Amino acid sequence: MILLRSRNVKYLSNRMINTCKLLSKPTPLFFHSIHTMSDYSKERRVAIEAVLSASKVCQSVFQHLVAKETLTKDDKSPVTVADFSAQAIVNTCLKQHFPQDPIVGEEDSKDLQGEEGKVLREKVVSLTNGVLSETEKLSEQQILDAIDRGNYAGGPKGRHWALDPIDGTKGFLRGGQYAVCLALIVDGIVQVGVVGCPNLPVNYKEPEGERGALFIAVRGQGAYQRKFSDEKESRIEFADISSTAESTFCESVEAGHSSHGDAVEIAKLLGITREPVRMDSQAKYCSISRGDADIYLRLPTSKTYVEKIWDHASGNVLVTEAGGKVTDIHGQPLDFSVGRTLEKNKGVIASKASIHDQVLKAVQQVLNI
């Protein structure tokens, strides 16, 4: 059973709804004299509000969670009630502002259907409507339909959004790092990326300080960070290092997500002696983009595993705009035009652009490529 403090949740909901209403109003003429129609300014603003609202709801859910409810999908990853609710909230916001844009989402409503899904479905409906005002409450079917708006197949043409409502579910459940990730892909290229990290310290040098960081990037416009509590944005970039020996790895907590053993050998070749920073989710992309660490490796642990686009789309544009470079282990850019997966790529290497070639060479040497 999930219990929420209604006062806190209603505040978050009203803020989300009021902002969405403001964003939906016609843009003043003077605004068009400053911004072009192709700068993705509206997409940026809507994505920020959707991710921030979903992130804050997840925070509130965790803080007032009495019983952690999970189920197991075929790929063995845990799914929480908050996961479904966050997807419903983000998809509803996107539909309001961009009704023609399809969404590639991680979740679908199949586990909520029928008699078998009744208990979980009722909790999702209760949680979702618990963060909506009386006039905005959704029916059970509307919530299921919102979740299933994430069933788009993706592809090389047109616009679509890629959403991971809670990336790093295990991190969420243990009170560690997780992220709400939303990206706009246009003709196979990630143009906008927003990542909300509710548990990430705003300043990595103050690990016990304020938490809740939002990361924003639009292709060609730089990468930025802001607090959940403050709209002021600060430009971010990779740390100023001159050699790989000065660098630090950022790795997945779960060894099943990336080969830690291979990473140790790669570190030796690069002269890296610092202990790696380990965390869940796309928070790793955020961490290296602002200089907490320098290299993120997601090395293959299986010949058959294929990465999903929602696990990397937002982080990809964020790293690029912060002065980094992202490729697979063969040195090829990540291809988001194939569909729901990165079928043409194997593994992920993200680092400061100036050292990327050295990192790639070391990876290929260790993996015998």
Side-chain angles (χ1 to χ4, degrees), residues 34 47 55 73 93 119 135 166 197 209 225 238 290 296 302 307 341 345 359 366 368:
I34 301 174
S55 297
K73 298 191 300 185
C93 194
V119 174
T135 59
I166 297 182
C197 301
Q225 174 187 326
F238 273 75
R290 69 178 186 180
Y296 165 39
S302 164
E307 300 285 349
T341 69
N345 300 110
V359 177
V366 170
N368 296 314

Side-chain angles (χ1 to χ4, degrees), residues 76-334:
K76 307 302 181 185
S77 64
V79 179
T80 65
V81 174
D83 219 343
F84 287 112
S85 183
Q87 179 151 320
I89 289 170
V90 172
N91 286 1
T92 297
C93 194
L94 290 178
K95 181 182 179 182
Q96 181 178 354
H97 297 289
F98 306 107
Q100 303 304 314
D101 287 359
I103 303 168
V104 178
E106 183 179 17
E107 311 302 341
D108 60 49
S109 70
K110 70 179 187 303
D111 292 312
L112 305 177
Q113 301 286 349
E115 191 62 29
E116 291 184 357
K118 182 180 180 180
V119 174
L120 183 62
R121 181 172 68 250
E122 289 176 347
K123 290 180 178 179
V124 170
V125 172
S126 176
L127 173 60
T128 304
N129 279 325
V131 302
L132 297 176
S133 69
E134 289 299 321
T135 59
E136 295 291 333
K137 288 188 184 300
L138 303 171
S139 69
E140 180 179 284
Q141 191 58 52
Q142 286 175 318
I143 290 173
L144 295 178
D145 289 344
I147 293 170
D148 283 335
R149 286 196 74 235
N151 63 3
Y152 183 61
K157 298 295 182 182
R159 291 166 50 111
H160 60 270
W161 297 84
L163 168 67
D164 195 341
I166 297 182
D167 183 30
T169 311
K170 290 183 180 179
F172 172 75
L173 292 175
R174 73 165 75 94
Q177 296 305 325
Y178 68 97
V180 178
C181 309
L182 182 62
L184 174 65
I185 301 172
V186 182
D187 295 333
I189 305 297
V190 184
Q191 296 292 345
V192 180
V194 177
V195 183
C197 301
N199 287 340
L200 193 67
V202 171
N203 184 343
Y204 78 97
K205 294 180 179 179
E206 300 175 3
E208 302 305 318
E210 181 178 356
R211 293 171 181 262
L214 195 73
F215 297 83
I216 310 114
V218 176
R219 187 166 298 278
Q221 298 180 28
Y224 295 84
Q225 174 187 326
R226 53 162 282 190
K227 302 176 182 179
F228 279 15
S229 60
D230 188 346
E231 295 183 4
K232 182 180 178 181
E233 297 180 6
S234 300
R235 186 112 183 209
I236 58 172
E237 59 186 13
F238 273 75
D240 184 17
I241 58 173
S242 57
S243 73
T244 57
E246 301 175 51
S247 63
T248 302
F249 277 151
C250 191
E251 298 179 337
S252 298
V253 173
E254 303 292 331
H257 291 170
S258 184
S259 176
H260 288 172
D262 287 336
V264 171
E265 295 303 313
I266 293 166
K268 289 179 181 178
L269 288 177
L270 295 173
I272 299 173
T273 58
R274 298 175 181 176
E275 285 295 313
V277 175
R278 287 181 177 162
M279 62 178 66
D280 301 282
S281 80
Q282 287 190 60
K284 292 185 288 293
Y285 281 117
C286 302
S287 181
I288 63 174
S289 293
R290 69 178 186 180
D292 301 3
D294 310 286
I295 301 168
Y296 165 39
L297 301 180
R298 190 172 173 97
L299 303 176
T301 58
S302 164
K303 292 183 179 180
T304 58
Y305 182 75
V306 180
E307 300 285 349
K308 311 298 191 299
I309 65 170
W310 53 76
D311 285 328
H312 301 282
S314 301
N316 182 276
V317 68
L318 182 69
V319 165
T320 301
E321 290 302 309
K325 183 176 181 179
V326 185
T327 70
D328 65 9
I329 60 174
H330 299 290
Q332 298 301 312
L334 302 189

Side-chain angles (χ1 to χ4, degrees), residues 326-368:
V326 185
T327 70
D328 65 9
I329 60 174
H330 299 290
Q332 298 301 312
L334 302 189
D335 188 346
F336 294 93
S337 72
V338 182
R340 294 173 67 86
T341 69
L342 296 174
E343 185 179 329
K344 293 184 178 180
N345 300 110
K346 198 70 174 176
V348 177
I349 303 172
S351 73
K352 186 178 178 71
S354 61
I355 65 169
H356 193 274
D357 287 348
Q358 295 170 265
V359 177
L360 175 62
K361 182 178 179 180
V363 168
Q364 293 180 338
Q365 184 174 332
V366 170
L367 298 184
N368 296 314

